Amino acid sequence: MLNDHVTFRRLAAGTLLIAAPLLQAVAVIVDPGTWGDDREAVSYGSNPALAQTESALYHWSWMLMAVAAIGLVHLTRQRATRLGHIAGAMTVIGYLNLSALLMMDPVEWWLGRHHPPEQAQKILDEMLNLPGVIIGFQMPWVPLGLVGLPLLTVAVWRSGFSGWWVPVTVAVGYLGAFAVDYGPITVVLWILPVAGLGALGVKVLRMGDDAWAALYARRGAQDTPPPLPVPESGEDRHHAR
């Protein structure tokens, strides 16, 4: 499989479209901050093991989502290509950047264990409000992933690969999370994309190598390009004379 670029990329894309949103849904479920004090310096300190598990799950979910997005872009080679390229770039950059911000979690745990909640939050805010942190890590890169992924699924729908309900579930799940406080309702919202993206993943896994490879052809091409010529050996050239 590793020697076959069609099989490997298809299976990788399909598997990650299932795994990445599922890891995020599990992360929000095990996160102590989902069910406890909305001050993370307090809720994380109440269960450090679950807090560290939650951060690791988010980290791998967002890293793998960036890779899965490249597979979604492949589905837009024939139609909605421009939107696929723009939304795909937004998604990849945004999710990689989201993962980088998780390094503030252990800082918050440590502050919560050594300072009162109000002081811990004040120190954390001073750190996060540094210009280099805001410009380099927070804005505008953080929203790119959560906006880019719904747009990318719209491109996939316009390409004819999915039904309209897929971008709807992804948009409601991820964009809806902006409108509510992080908590139990977030669990419901982040389960929705598991269904939409998971359905895409299953369809990719079932589509077969021929259908995946057919997307490599240029739009409007009538014939496949001829194979590259095989260099002749010295003996072949001698007989040719």
Side-chain angles (χ1 to χ4, degrees):
M1 183 181 69
L2 291 177
N3 290 329
D4 190 325
H5 71 280
V6 173
T7 301
F8 178 81
R9 294 174 190 180
R10 180 179 63 82
L11 293 182
T15 302
L16 294 183
L17 285 170
I18 298 171
L22 183 60
L23 289 177
Q24 178 172 284
V26 175
V28 71
I29 292 172
V30 304
D31 186 353
T34 301
W35 316 101
D37 197 304
D38 60 0
R39 297 171 298 177
E40 292 180 341
V42 176
S43 59
Y44 283 9
S46 65
N47 198 324
L50 280 183
Q52 293 175 63
T53 301
E54 161 262 320
S55 287
L57 289 170
Y58 274 133
H59 167 72
W60 283 107
S61 168
W62 295 342
M63 291 286 286
L64 295 179
M65 186 63 77
V67 181
I70 299 174
L72 288 178
V73 172
H74 175 76
L75 300 176
T76 66
R77 284 178 178 269
Q78 303 296 324
R79 297 176 61 187
T81 304
R82 183 179 302 174
L83 178 59
H85 284 162
I86 295 172
M90 291 172 60
T91 305
V92 171
I93 294 173
Y95 271 94
L96 289 177
N97 194 75
L98 277 171
S99 179
L101 289 179
L102 285 171
M103 285 305 297
M104 77 178 185
D105 282 3
V107 175
E108 197 162 14
W109 305 333
W110 189 92
L111 290 174
R113 296 186 66 180
H114 294 82
H115 300 279
E118 292 76 13
Q119 186 178 2
Q121 188 62 52
K122 181 180 179 181
I123 296 172
L124 185 67
D125 289 343
E126 290 179 359
M127 296 168 63
L128 295 180
N129 288 332
L130 292 171
V133 176
I134 294 175
I135 297 173
F137 292 90
Q138 296 183 39
M139 296 298 294
W141 317 115
V142 169
L144 284 183
L146 299 179
V147 173
L149 184 57
L151 287 176
L152 184 53
T153 56
V154 169
V156 173
W157 164 59
R158 289 186 57 194
S159 74
F161 189 81
S162 76
W164 59 267
W165 67 274
V166 171
V168 169
T169 57
V170 174
V172 171
Y174 289 146
L175 298 180
F178 282 119
V180 301
D181 293 331
Y182 187 82
I185 189 63
T186 311
V187 176
V188 178
L189 289 171
W190 283 359
I191 286 177
L192 289 176
V194 175
L197 294 173
L200 282 179
V202 171
K203 191 169 183 179
V204 168
L205 292 175
R206 290 179 174 177
M207 69 187 295
D209 289 347
D210 290 342
W212 180 270
L215 294 171
Y216 285 107
R218 287 185 177 273
R219 287 177 295 181
Q222 299 299 319
D223 301 301
T224 57
L228 294 175
V230 179
E232 294 181 345
S233 65
E235 183 178 354
D236 291 334
R237 290 195 295 269
H238 175 73
H239 288 301
R241 292 192 185 99

